[in-house]
Amino acid sequence: MNTPLPDVPEVRVVGLPQLTQGFDLVERLDLPMHLKVHGPLEPMTGERLAQLADDISLRGRGGAGFPFGQKLRAVAKSAIRRGVRPVVVINGSEGEPACRKDTVLLNRAPHLILDGALLAAEALGARTLVVAVTRNSTEVSMRAALAERGLSDRRGQALRARVVRTPERMVSGEASSVIRAVNGGPALPPGRRERASDTGVGGAPTLLSNAETFAQLAIGARIGARRYGHTGLDTEPGTVMLTISGAVARPMVVEVPTGVPLRYVLQLAGAPPLPQGVLTGGYHGNWIDSVAVHESLVSRESLASVGGSLGAGAILPIGPETCPLGEALRVANWLAAETAGQCGPCKLGLPAAAGGLSDVMNGGGPAALEALREVTQAVKGRGACKHPDGSARFFASTLSAFTDDLAAHVLHGGCGRETTGVLPLPLPGYEEAEESIPSGEKVFIDWTLCQGHGLCADIIPELIRLNPDGYPSVADAVVPIHMQGRAQRAVRRCPALAMRIEQMPAERAPAPSGRRELPGGNRKALGSGRG
């Protein structure tokens, strides 16, 4: 059994809603409904905004947990020192199959996210705003939200705003990958460590934060630090968005105040009363056992104290009927396949670790276990990005959390349980199955001019391949919206001037499918501005 999560699963709230306010009224809060629910938002100076972030203890909600106020000050300082305008980037790239909380916010509360990002952009004096997304539904929603505010990427505007599409991959959501994609390159880590606050989009200082982080900033700016602190723990005030899946009756995204017992949230989703393990923080996170679950609160500090992690807010219990090592092996194989292929620890180490776990499960004995431990240790701290470290953390946590099962496999050849596949993973071929939103444009090649240089295939390999003679092969190259920039660059760089992009006739342009509608099938929301 492997049932991928839908883009927008069931949404629940514990206590009073903040980020999810208005979700009971409409499927998507367009701008008029957003203002009715949340009210207007006054601009702030940079230092005042940074102080607000400090006062509400706002940390990044994408997994790293970096203090937002510190990041804001670093960008402002770098921009002043260099005398350039900074850039603000909303990272809505959610490529992990167990995470949906940002996708829910992007689809259902896009203007709350934009509020926080625009607040930061005005405080910093930024003139560019970029929204990075991974899915059709989020792209449609955020493009509609920008249009509802009259924002676009046209020259001459006080603030130029655009949506950038990144692949739905684990490594594509890392900050350096997002910046590289926004700059027109592949959505992969560049292999060198650079601070976005110093050098980001277009080489400018860049404030890049997770979608939920900006939404939390907008809530804090509206209600103030004192009211914000009335919810949740004193040390970690406010609410968090969690994605609950795995062995649950009702996979869901839930907004919950910090300090609520983790077991209560799991009960809400219909998890087993005594799970044999709960993966916290997603597939780069840590396992905790049922005893730790009963001791844990929803907070970074509490989960860390029992060996868990909040990470990007993914919580995945597994029941007693499945083999935990088999579940871990499925995830390990997926993590290995998600490698960017740019460094040895990732390209070679992760497949070796996944293979080592398979050897342990299939009777490899103590020697296989020792080899697995050595590979896992060798991967840590040596990668070009954070994917090897996060994957090594998952391997190490698996080996320490399920010692009884590990002993059964090492000493007796197995634990006697099947792997039921309760942890969500993409179905095979998901990358090809995901449709792209057509722009109504098509690539054409003038064969009387083409000299087979092949630059076009390097820039847009998704649309153009080289045939055995070295010339470009274009079958039905309808340009998706998220590839328009690269397609135009391919046209400009063609040495023979053999490429062009033309608008397709209306009767030939692909009609939007139901997959591109806004959540809930609300056909009016995009065109009429009604929620």
Side-chain angles (χ1 to χ4, degrees), residues 21 32-42 112 115 222:
Q21 191 175 354
M33 181 59 72
H34 167 74
L35 293 174
K36 287 180 182 178
V37 169
H38 291 284
L41 186 59
E42 296 296 325
L112 195 62
D115 276 348
R222 276 189 169 87

Side-chain angles (χ1 to χ4, degrees), residues 226-266:
R226 178 175 295 182
R227 278 186 59 195
Y228 191 95
H230 288 166
T231 300
L233 299 168
D234 292 339
T235 54
E236 299 179 42
T239 64
V240 295
M241 298 285 284
L242 303 176
T243 309
I244 315 297
S245 63
V248 296
R250 299 177 301 280
M252 64 176 60
V253 168
V254 57
E255 182 183 11
V256 55
T258 57
V260 169
L262 179 60
R263 64 180 182 276
Y264 177 79
V265 179
L266 292 174

